[in-house]
């Protein structure tokens, strides 16, 4: 009865706004030169009463009243296009936009689809990739995730790391999508660099709250990254040569106007450059570390209604060690390596059924794997002995999904779809090889058995403009999760809306329930070590849930130069999982009994954001005032304690200035309250276990969990770009200073003994002093 | 090209530029510390070193981690023992019960206050301690668990095992189980390693290892009565195949929940101490007004000869 009642009202609401005579214009928006589809292009009628924007595939559909003759297409950094309607009839079109010739117009800090006050979606921001490249970076290596850390509500884990802590959540609570495929480990080199090569990326959107129903599976944020599609017209490339890494990107047509490709690779080469030194110091030995990644995308246009995308990404880090020693006719060869990384692939098909109905179907694959391998072979005159060891830990997902967008009428934009993911977890498998004259063994030992699970969700959401002032996005996200003999179901309501108080000022509010069926076990609070272990929610370890409410104001100046926003949020998390006291990643065996479950979390605070979007000088100031606490029955005597990344104050300042087409500078400053940590505070004597052979013990006591604060973190970086057009294209020299005033920021603390003073001392290790860097960037 | 070699050298130098500075922590207010086992039931008649510890109440002080202060084991404190709220004994004379390495280069004598009367199962015992250097008293209260008599039988063979039988009293109980043996040529009891498939059994210890079928060897473990509340129980344990002995001493102690918390915290603490990636672990304290651990258990012993 209740369902019928709801359906009746839904149909009533939808048909209410469709009484007038309308027609639909739909299609794609492309960049003129490359024919690459543009995401987030703003489309509206001249009176601005009806508007929309292109989706992740450059598709739009807008239903307008019969009196509408024109549509206006705007995209920051591009010339505005005015489309004259070809009559009062449904039509499918392709709009090509030309990049603005005025370089200064390109300097846009954050590129939102429409003025912030008008967006129904709150707590979301799109980042302009060009701007990310202007922000100073560690070792000159442009980093997407580090740029996102400058936004309010987003915190970094610590010195140099790229982990994202969004509104009190952990780094495992971010759904990071690369062309629609989840990426599990987003870090290289223990978190100092992200796996995303900025040259291969077209757009980035971050959602911190008020999640639309189409997203799910993580509690705290959605980071939706789209790779470039490849130029349909001609071959182009760009690359850079830096102190620690170089990269190269090529894109171009395979069949002009039909098929294009994009390939981008990056590798660090510290190990290669160091080889001569190592070889001189230790003949016969070598060791090193590098990371590399490769992005590949091919897209084929069958017709204006059908398009196929193939995306592939692989990236890994590798430590390796080899030595060979020979003596008296004997030889000892030892090899060891540790390799960890991601691989993702997706095949997507876009189809336009009619001007109002768009479909995307995708098959996805993602994998994160850690492998440790060592082997040693002794050769001696009578024969040889061989010993080998290999550890593999991985997570693999296979997914199939379908998403639909249906523009029912000018006031209702409906999205619906479904997705099934097959998760496969191997927390740890070891193979051992022994081959000697006396013993032969070649066996596989499963430290923890492989676990499979199936996660299926379906969603429906509607972006409804009830009046010109009031717009609401509401929806439901339903999940069924099966593992072993256990089934979990969840129905997650989502709603967000805005009410325009004036043309430039709106009040916004949202609510979202999220459920996460994955846990990240990390003995280091998720800073990105390869030992981090992804495990599923099981019958013994239930899933995590969160309920987040947020409200705020958004204001933009009429000229579009300035935007202001203030948002307050409150997030309650339940079912959180932590390692129990004294446990760590080391033993994946029986991990379900090594964790404490049923934790609660409370994160709340306010975010302030002031941004200058246009002009020679752009940038923003973000400030977050927040509280972030946890409670587990089996930790800290059941008492509430601060989360490690409970930072009361977090400030980011980004300032970018373009002096001319040949010179621009970027400056950033960040400040964050010190992270909460544990250090021994006092010492007591104590009991040994009964009948144990030591008579008495001395214990170091940490006090309440996370009761000590590290010193505050702050740092300023500056970078200067010198551009020049050449015969073959454009080159840029980037000179930057990381940590320009050489702040000794805390990386970790440890206890030591000062023999001179005859007492214990606590010391802080800082990692990065002032670091100058230079890189050469080219584009053709 | 040759100049390129300076690039990795520069980078290595920069990345090795870790700067170490000293930081301050809030000063620690010293408190009195009391540690004691309140063990009732069967006496432990065997020659192991810790029997004195078992009987003694040890009073000491806490010290800040960054101070030059050291821990003192007081022989001039006052300890009151109350049974069911009524003062039973006042202990003022401490005796030497051993020595302890006090950290770094300092060995100290440990003094303990030894009660003259045995603890009775079912009684509620409160320990209160005071010392002239500290204002006020510290105290801890425990209810001594019920005595649970046991029988046991040894089965030899390819997988030597022991079956322990007892009847669980009503109410939640947890049992600490250990097996000791005299080995050939030895006159002193030694703990024996064993494992069990009993779902209520949790091994304790850091000196455990894993076999392919997932069993964990341990020298002691905790058995929860959740699955046999108030009923007769037969607990089966399997011995280390290399354990060859003619005499076995089975020890089953019905323990107070605080002792379980202490034991778990003890192994977590030591497991975490040398592992930089492990979550830090505190030792369990239950002494009001100060620090330390007072925990009760009632032991049953059965010898197999």
């Amino acid at each position: 009865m209740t369902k019928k009642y709801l359906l009746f009202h839904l149909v009533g609401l939808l048909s209410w706004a469709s009484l007038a005579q309308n027609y639909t214009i739909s299609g794609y928006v492309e960049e003129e030169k490359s024919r690459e589809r543009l995401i987030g292009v703003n489309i509206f009628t001249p009176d601005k009463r009806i508007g929309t924007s292109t989706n992740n595939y450059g598709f739009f559909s807008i239903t307008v009243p019969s009196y509408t003759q024109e549509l206006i297409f705007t995209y920051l950094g591009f010339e505005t296009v005015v489309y004259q309607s070809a009559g009062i009839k449904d039509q499918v079109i392709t709009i090509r936009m030309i990049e603005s010739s005025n370089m200064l117009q390109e300097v846009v800090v954050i590129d939102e689809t429409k003025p912030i006050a008008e967006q129904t979606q709150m707590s979301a921001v799109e980042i302009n990739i060009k701007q990310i490249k202007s922000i100073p970076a560690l070792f000159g290596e442009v980093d997407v995730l580090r740029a996102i850390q400058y936004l309010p509500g987003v915190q970094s884990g610590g010195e140099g790391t790229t982990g994202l802590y969004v509104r009190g959540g952990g780094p495992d609570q971010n759904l990071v999508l690369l062309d629609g495929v989840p990426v599990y480990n987003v870090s290289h080199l223990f978190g100092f660099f992200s796996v995303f090569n900025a040259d291969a990326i077209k757009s980035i959107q971050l959602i911190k709250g008020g999640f639309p129903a189409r997203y799910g599976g993580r509690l705290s944020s959605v980071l939706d990254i789209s790779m470039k599609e490849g130029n349909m017209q001609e071959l182009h490339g760009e690359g850079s040569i830096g102190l620690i890494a170089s990269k190269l990107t090529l894109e171009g047509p395979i069949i002009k106007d039909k098929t294009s490709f994009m390939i981008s690779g990056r590798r660090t080469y510290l190990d290669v450059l160091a080889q001569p030194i190592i070889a001189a110091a230790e003949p016969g030995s070598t060791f090193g570390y590098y990371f590399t990644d490769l992005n590949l995308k091919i897209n084929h246009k069958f017709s204006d209604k059908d398009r196929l995308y193939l995306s592939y990404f692989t990236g890994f880090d590798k430590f390796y060690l080899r030595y060979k020693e020979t003596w008296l006719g004997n030889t000892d060869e030892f090899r060891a390596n540790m390799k960890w990384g991601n691989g993702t692939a997706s095949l997507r098909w876009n189809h336009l059924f009619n001007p109002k109905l768009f479909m995307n179907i995708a098959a996805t694959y993602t994998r994160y794997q850690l492998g440790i391998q060592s082997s040693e072979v002794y050769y001696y005159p009578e024969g040889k002995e061989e010993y080998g060891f290999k550890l593999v830990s991985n997570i693999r997902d296979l997914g199939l999904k379908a998403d639909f967008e249906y523009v029912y009428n000018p006031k209702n934009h409906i999205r619906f779809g479904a997705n099934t993911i097959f998760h496969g977890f191997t927390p740890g498998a070891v193979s051992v090889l022994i081959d000697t004259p006396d013993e032969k063994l070649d066996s596989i030992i499963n430290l923890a058995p492989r676990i499979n699970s199936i996660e299926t969700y379906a969603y429906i959401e509607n972006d409804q403009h009830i009046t010109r002032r009031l717009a609401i996005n509401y929806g439901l996200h339903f999940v069924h999760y099966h593992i072993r003999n256990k089934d979990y179901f969840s129905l997650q309501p989502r709603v967000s809306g805005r009410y325009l108080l004036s043309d430039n000022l709106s009040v916004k509010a949202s609510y979202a329930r999220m459920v996460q069926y994955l846990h990240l076990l990390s003995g280091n609070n998720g800073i990105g070590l390869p030992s981090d272990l992804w495990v599923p929610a099981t019958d013994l370890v239930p899933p995590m849930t969160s309920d987040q409410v947020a409200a705020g104001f958004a204001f933009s100046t009429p000229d579009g130069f300035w935007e202001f926003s203030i948002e307050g949020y409150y997030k309650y998390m339940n079912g959180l999982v932590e390692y129990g006291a004294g446990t760590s990643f080391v033993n994946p065996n029986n991990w379900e009994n090594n964790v404490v479950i049923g934790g609660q979390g409370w994160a709340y605070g306010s975010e302030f954001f002031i941004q200058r979007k246009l002009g020679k000088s752009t940038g923003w100031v973000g400030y977050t005032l927040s509280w972030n606490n946890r409670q587990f029955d089996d930790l800290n005597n059941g008492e509430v304690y601060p989360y490690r990344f409970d930072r009361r104050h977090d400030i980011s300042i980004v300032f970018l200035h373009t002096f001319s087409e040949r010179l621009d500078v970027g400056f950033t400053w960040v400040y964050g309250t010190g992270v909460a940590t544990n250090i021994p505070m006092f010492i007591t004597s104590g009991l040994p276990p009964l009948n144990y052979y030591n008579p008495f013990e001395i214990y170091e006591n940490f006090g309440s969990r996370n009761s000590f604060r590290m010193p505050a973190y702050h740092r300023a970086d500056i970078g200067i770009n010198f551009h020049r057009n050449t015969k073959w294209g454009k080159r840029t020299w980037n000179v930057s200073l990381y940590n320009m005033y050489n702040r000794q920021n805390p990386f970790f603390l440890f206890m030591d003994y000062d023999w001179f003073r005859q007492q214990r001392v606590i010391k802080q290790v800082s990692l990065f002093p002032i670091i100058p860097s230079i890189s050469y960037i080219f584009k053709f | 090209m040759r100049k390129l070699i300076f690039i990795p050298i520069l980078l290595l130098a920069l990345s090795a530029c870790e700067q170490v500075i000293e930081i301050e922590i809030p000063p620690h207010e010293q408190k009195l510390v009391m540690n004691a086992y309140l063990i009732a039931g069967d006496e432990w008649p065997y020659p192991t070193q810790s029997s004195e510890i078992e009987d003694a109440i040890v009073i000491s002080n806490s010290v800040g981690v960054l101070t030059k202060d050291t821990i003192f084991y007081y022989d001039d404190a006052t300890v009151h023992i109350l049974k069911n709220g009524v003062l039973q004994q006042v202990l003022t004379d401490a005796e030497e019960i051993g020595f302890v390495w006090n950290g770094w280069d300092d060995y100290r004598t440990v003094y303990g206050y030894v009660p003259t009367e045995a603890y009775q199962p079912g009684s509620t015992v409160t320990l209160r301690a005071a010392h002239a250097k500290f204002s006020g008293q510290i105290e801890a209260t425990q209810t001594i668990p019920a005595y649970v008599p046991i029988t046991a039988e040894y089965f030899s063979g390819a997988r030597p095992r022991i079956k322990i039988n007892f009847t669980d009293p009503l109410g939640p109980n947890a049992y600490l189980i250990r097996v000791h043996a005299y080995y050939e040529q030895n006159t002193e009891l030694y703990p024996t390693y064993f494992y069990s498939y009993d779902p209520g059994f949790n091994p304790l210890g850091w000196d455990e290892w894993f076999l392919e079928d997932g069993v964990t060897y341990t020298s002691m473990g905790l058995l929860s009565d959740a699955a046999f509340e108030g009923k007769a129980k037969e607990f089966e344990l399997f011995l280390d195949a290399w354990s060859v002995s003619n005499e076995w001493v089975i020890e089953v102690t019905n323990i107070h929940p605080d002792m379980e918390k202490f034991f778990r915290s003890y192994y977590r603490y030591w497991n975490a101490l040398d592992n930089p990636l492990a979550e830090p672990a505190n030792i369990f304290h239950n002494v009001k007004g100060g620090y330390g651990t007072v925990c009760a258990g009632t032991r049953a012993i059965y010898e197999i000869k």
Side-chain angles (χ1 to χ4, degrees):
Chain A
M1 187 66 189
T2 310
K3 284 179 184 171
K4 283 183 181 174
Y5 179 79
L6 284 172
L7 191 64
F8 172 79
H9 277 266
L10 184 64
V11 171
L13 278 170
L14 294 175
S15 52
W16 168 79
S18 62
L19 297 175
Q21 191 183 356
N22 301 315
Y23 70 104
T24 301
I25 303 172
S26 63
Y28 298 91
V29 182
E30 297 176 346
E31 202 265 305
E32 169 69 26
K33 285 183 183 170
S34 65
R35 303 290 159 88
E36 177 138 351
R37 288 182 173 174
L38 297 174
I39 299 170
V41 175
N42 194 15
I43 303 143
F44 51 88
T45 55
D47 61 2
K48 293 190 176 177
R49 286 184 173 273
I50 299 171
T52 188
S53 55
T54 53
N55 68 8
N56 276 4
Y57 306 96
F59 170 76
F60 74 95
S61 177
I62 186 166
T63 301
V64 294
S66 55
Y67 57 80
T68 302
Q69 303 292 318
E70 292 178 345
L71 278 184
I72 299 168
F73 293 75
T74 63
Y75 191 53
L76 288 163
F78 284 75
E79 304 282 355
T80 297
V81 172
V82 179
Y83 171 73
Q84 297 288 337
S85 174
I88 306 170
K89 59 180 180 183
D90 289 353
Q91 47 204 281
V92 178
I93 60 174
T94 299
I95 297 293
R96 300 208 169 106
M97 300 186 75
I98 301 168
E99 205 166 353
S100 171
S101 57
N102 183 350
M103 283 295 292
L104 300 186
Q105 289 292 316
E106 287 186 33
V107 183
V108 178
V109 177
I110 292 194
D111 181 6
E112 280 142 338
T113 54
K114 51 175 107 168
I116 189 170
E118 288 187 26
Q119 293 172 43
T120 314
Q121 173 72 53
M122 70 179 302
S123 312
V125 65
E126 284 193 21
I127 316 284
N128 186 314
I129 197 71
K130 286 180 184 170
Q131 205 57 42
I132 287 173
K133 291 181 176 180
S134 297
I135 293 175
L138 177 64
F139 293 118
E141 190 60 30
V142 172
D143 201 292
V144 170
L145 296 189
R146 203 182 302 282
I148 289 171
Q149 289 171 351
Y150 293 131
L151 297 170
V154 184
Q155 297 180 4
S156 66
E159 173 70 285
T161 65
T162 55
L164 298 179
Y165 296 80
V166 181
R167 288 189 172 174
D172 57 326
Q173 296 177 6
N174 307 312
L175 177 63
V176 181
L177 298 170
L178 182 64
D179 274 353
V181 189
V183 177
Y184 281 100
N185 187 330
V186 298
S187 303
H188 280 307
L189 190 55
F190 308 123
F192 295 127
F193 300 99
S194 78
V195 299
F196 303 110
N197 177 352
D199 287 352
I201 290 170
K202 181 164 76 171
S203 73
I204 302 163
Q205 186 189 38
L206 175 73
I207 303 174
K208 300 177 286 183
F211 303 99
R214 59 186 178 276
Y215 294 114
R218 300 291 190 280
L219 299 192
S220 291
S221 80
V222 177
L223 185 63
D224 200 347
I225 299 174
S226 297
M227 283 201 274
K228 284 180 181 172
E229 293 172 2
N231 196 309
M232 283 276 191
Q233 295 293 303
E234 52 193 12
L235 183 69
H236 282 282
E238 63 183 304
S240 67
I241 300 166
L243 282 181
I244 63 163
S246 286
K247 54 195 174 198
L248 177 65
T249 302
L250 292 173
E251 57 178 319
I254 297 172
I255 304 169
K256 197 172 179 181
D257 280 334
K258 279 280 184 188
T259 311
S260 69
F261 77 96
M262 187 281 300
I263 185 166
S264 183
R266 174 173 65 159
R267 191 194 192 278
T268 58
Y269 35 66
L270 198 56
D271 59 324
V272 177
L273 297 175
Q275 283 312 313
I277 303 170
I278 296 166
E282 284 286 335
S285 299
T286 184
F287 63 90
Y289 162 83
Y290 68 90
F291 71 75
T292 183
D293 36 51
L294 176 74
N295 297 70
L296 173 67
K297 192 164 179 177
I298 295 171
N299 88 86
H300 179 72
K301 185 177 163 185
F302 292 99
S303 69
D304 284 343
K305 290 187 174 180
D306 293 283
R307 196 150 181 161
L308 198 67
Y309 297 92
L310 175 67
S311 305
Y312 173 77
F313 164 73
T314 181
F316 62 84
D317 296 54
K318 187 173 181 180
F319 271 111
Y320 60 89
L321 166 66
R322 291 191 287 271
Y323 76 74
K324 185 177 181 181
E325 197 175 9
T326 303
W327 76 101
L328 299 174
N330 301 299
T331 302
D332 178 9
E333 279 186 11
F334 178 78
R335 288 167 180 261
N337 68 62
M338 181 163 72
K339 182 179 170 183
W340 66 99
N342 300 281
T344 71
S346 71
L347 182 64
R348 295 176 294 166
W349 172 40
N350 286 182
H351 178 68
L352 189 61
F353 288 99
N354 59 52
K356 291 187 172 189
L357 183 60
F358 172 84
M359 178 192 72
N360 174 60
I361 286 183
T364 61
Y365 171 80
T366 183
R367 184 202 68 182
Y368 170 66
Q369 180 160 300
L370 163 69
I372 300 171
Q373 196 169 2
S374 72
S375 67
E376 188 157 18
V377 186
Y378 297 102
Y379 297 95
Y380 47 90
E382 297 81 18
K384 69 168 189 175
E385 291 182 4
E386 188 174 354
Y387 302 90
F389 166 85
K390 188 176 180 182
L391 167 75
V392 173
S393 168
N394 65 39
I395 172 173
R396 292 163 193 257
D397 289 355
L398 270 173
L400 199 61
K401 70 173 181 175
D403 300 294
F404 297 87
E405 289 188 31
Y406 180 60
V407 182
Y408 179 74
N409 61 30
K411 298 196 172 183
N412 291 280
H413 189 145
I414 301 166
R415 293 180 175 89
F416 57 96
N419 188 0
T420 293
I421 305 166
F422 299 88
H423 298 286
F425 301 85
T426 305
V430 173
S431 61
V432 179
L433 170 73
I434 300 174
D435 186 0
T436 69
D438 303 326
E439 189 178 4
K440 295 197 186 299
L441 174 68
D442 189 356
S443 71
I444 295 174
I445 302 163
N446 279 316
L447 287 179
R450 182 178 171 83
I451 309 172
N452 295 315
S453 66
I454 302 174
E455 185 177 353
T456 303
Y457 70 75
Y459 68 88
I460 182 164
E461 68 172 84
N462 185 20
D463 202 22
Q464 183 174 5
H465 288 244
I466 295 171
T467 66
R468 182 177 174 268
R469 292 190 180 279
L470 180 62
I472 300 179
N473 180 295
Y474 52 89
L476 286 171
H477 185 95
F478 172 77
V479 184
H480 169 238
Y481 177 79
H482 175 83
I483 186 163
R484 294 173 183 153
N485 295 317
K486 178 77 177 175
D487 290 279
Y488 288 102
F489 298 92
S490 74
L491 189 61
Q492 303 162 36
R494 316 280 175 78
V495 60
S496 66
R498 65 108 170 102
Y499 183 80
L500 281 172
L501 299 171
S502 71
D503 281 352
N504 301 306
L505 175 66
S506 66
V507 58
K508 298 185 178 188
S510 68
Y511 164 77
R513 162 163 282 212
M514 306 291 277
V515 181
Q516 180 168 335
Y517 296 92
L518 290 165
H519 304 286
L520 178 67
L521 303 181
S522 173
N524 47 75
N525 289 290
I527 61 170
L529 292 190
S531 54
D532 292 353
L533 191 66
W534 285 94
V535 292
T538 66
D539 46 340
L540 299 176
V541 183
M544 301 186 277
T545 62
S546 78
D547 292 277
Q548 184 183 167
V549 290
F553 292 91
F555 173 74
S556 54
T557 54
D559 59 11
F561 270 68
W562 290 90
E563 283 189 351
F564 305 88
S565 70
I566 175 171
E567 286 188 14
Y569 66 91
Y570 180 91
K571 181 159 66 179
Y572 170 70
M573 294 168 277
N574 198 8
L576 300 178
V577 172
E578 283 268 16
Y579 268 123
T583 55
S584 73
F585 79 100
V586 173
N587 178 12
N589 181 47
N590 206 12
W591 61 268
E592 287 167 283
N593 292 325
N594 281 337
V595 296
V596 290
I597 61 173
Q600 301 179 86
W602 298 265
Y604 50 94
S606 298
E607 298 165 2
F608 304 86
F609 194 42
I610 302 171
Q611 181 190 174
R612 184 177 160 89
K613 295 181 71 175
L614 300 171
K616 284 187 174 181
S617 296
T618 59
W620 69 85
V621 177
Y623 170 66
T624 306
L625 173 69
S626 64
W627 287 261
N628 191 1
N629 295 313
R630 298 284 189 271
Q631 187 274 334
F632 289 79
D633 289 345
D634 294 328
L635 289 177
N636 200 42
N637 295 321
E639 293 171 7
V640 175
Y641 63 89
Y643 185 51
R644 179 175 166 80
F645 299 99
D646 169 44
R647 287 199 171 107
R648 196 70 63 246
H649 307 284
D650 194 77
I651 304 170
S652 303
I653 295 174
V654 174
F655 174 74
L656 304 153
H657 185 78
T658 302
F659 289 97
S660 68
E661 289 187 13
R662 297 181 59 176
L663 179 66
D664 62 70
V665 296
F667 170 83
T668 58
W669 184 75
V670 290
Y671 173 90
T673 304
V675 297
T677 189
N678 299 286
I679 56 169
M681 305 294 277
F682 61 96
I683 297 168
T684 57
S685 63
L687 296 169
L690 275 169
N691 285 346
Y692 193 61
Y693 290 79
N694 281 340
F696 232 64
E697 301 276 13
I698 299 291
Y699 300 121
E700 292 175 350
N701 296 271
F702 294 88
S704 180
R705 191 175 173 92
N706 289 343
S707 58
F708 185 75
R709 291 277 170 177
M710 282 196 189
Y713 183 95
H714 54 91
R715 191 192 82 233
D717 308 330
I718 191 166
I720 305 172
N721 291 308
F722 302 94
H723 308 282
R724 189 171 195 177
N725 291 320
T726 64
K727 284 183 283 186
W728 43 265
K730 184 179 176 183
R731 67 105 179 104
T732 300
W733 280 102
N734 171 275
V735 179
S736 63
L737 277 179
Y738 180 89
N739 194 10
M740 59 188 285
Y741 56 84
N742 199 28
R743 160 72 177 173
Q744 294 178 332
N745 282 307
F747 186 56
F748 66 87
L749 306 178
F750 69 98
M751 182 168 284
D752 200 4
Y753 191 76
D754 186 328
W755 291 100
F756 182 71
R757 285 186 287 166
Q758 296 281 297
Q759 71 173 70
R760 299 174 186 86
V761 290
I762 291 177
K763 291 181 175 175
Q764 168 196 300
V765 173
S766 302
L767 203 58
F768 294 127
I770 182 170
I771 295 181
S773 64
I774 185 166
S775 57
Y776 178 78
I777 302 153
F778 56 91
K779 192 172 181 179
F780 58 88
Chain B
M1 193 64 190
R2 187 173 282 183
K3 289 177 184 173
L4 280 177
I5 208 157
F6 290 104
I7 294 175
I9 293 171
L10 173 67
L11 287 172
L12 279 172
L14 285 171
S15 61
C17 258
E18 59 170 35
Q19 303 160 75
V20 179
I21 60 170
E22 241 181 88
I23 63 167
E24 297 293 323
I25 63 170
H28 170 73
E29 181 194 353
Q30 285 198 13
K31 289 183 179 177
L32 214 48
V33 178
M34 174 164 63
N35 289 291
Y37 281 118
L38 312 181
I39 302 299
D42 295 342
E43 287 281 326
W44 182 256
Y46 307 102
T48 51
Q49 297 171 12
S50 64
S51 51
E52 289 168 324
I53 296 285
E54 239 185 70
D55 300 332
I57 300 161
V58 177
I59 309 300
S60 60
N61 62 312
S62 67
V63 296
V65 76
L66 297 189
T67 63
K68 291 182 179 177
D69 301 331
T70 54
I71 292 173
F72 293 94
Y73 298 88
Y74 296 118
D75 60 357
D76 54 350
T78 305
V79 177
H80 296 254
I81 303 177
L82 289 78
K83 180 181 176 183
N84 297 325
V86 178
L87 183 64
Q88 194 180 32
Q89 294 180 69
V90 178
L91 307 174
T92 54
D93 295 325
E95 55 188 72
E96 282 186 21
I97 60 169
F99 295 89
V100 67
W101 183 56
N102 205 21
W104 311 109
D105 59 347
D106 187 9
Y107 282 85
R108 292 201 174 252
T109 305
V110 178
Y111 297 97
Y113 299 82
V114 181
T116 54
E117 294 182 30
Y119 303 111
Q120 299 301 316
S123 63
T124 299
V125 174
T126 300
L127 301 185
R128 285 185 186 144
H131 189 270
K133 286 185 179 174
F134 298 86
S135 61
Q137 292 182 320
I138 61 173
E139 74 168 51
T141 299
Q142 297 275 283
T143 297
I144 311 296
Y147 177 72
V148 181
I150 59 170
T151 60
E153 193 175 358
Y154 172 76
F155 299 88
S156 59
R159 296 176 77 193
R161 64 192 197 281
I162 290 173
K163 286 183 180 177
I164 304 169
N165 289 282
F166 58 92
T167 300
D168 178 55
L170 289 174
N173 292 285
Y175 301 92
L176 179 70
I177 296 179
R178 283 185 294 195
V179 178
H180 312 263
Y182 289 104
Y183 293 109
E184 287 179 71
Q185 318 255 330
N186 286 315
T187 55
E188 197 170 294
L189 270 183
Y190 282 92
T192 295
Y193 284 90
F194 63 92
Y195 62 90
S196 174
Y197 293 112
D198 194 299
F201 182 72
N202 284 300
L204 286 173
W206 59 84
D207 45 2
E208 55 195 32
W209 67 92
F210 305 95
L211 298 183
E212 284 186 41
D213 55 0
V215 299
T216 302
Y217 275 100
T218 184
S219 59
M220 66 172 142
L222 292 170
L223 178 67
S224 162
D225 72 345
F228 55 90
E229 161 63 32
K231 295 176 185 169
K233 170 69 177 173
E234 181 180 83
F235 175 74
E236 186 176 44
L237 59 87
F238 295 88
L239 297 160
D240 179 352
W242 292 277
S243 298
V244 178
S245 177
N246 296 320
E247 282 186 65
W248 305 89
V249 175
I250 314 300
E251 184 189 3
V252 176
T253 307
N254 185 7
I255 61 172
H256 188 279
D258 280 0
M259 191 184 286
E260 180 175 352
K261 289 177 184 171
F262 167 67
F263 270 61
R264 291 193 184 283
S265 73
Y266 177 87
Y267 289 104
R268 287 172 184 160
Y269 175 86
W270 289 107
N271 280 328
L273 206 62
D274 296 324
N275 185 347
L277 295 173
E279 291 294 318
N282 274 322
I283 285 292
F284 174 73
H285 295 272
N286 65 348
V287 174
K288 291 176 185 169
Y291 300 111
T293 311
V294 173
C295 50
T298 301
R299 177 168 51 210
I301 293 172
Y302 191 88
E303 289 188 51
I304 302 172
K305 292 189 176 178

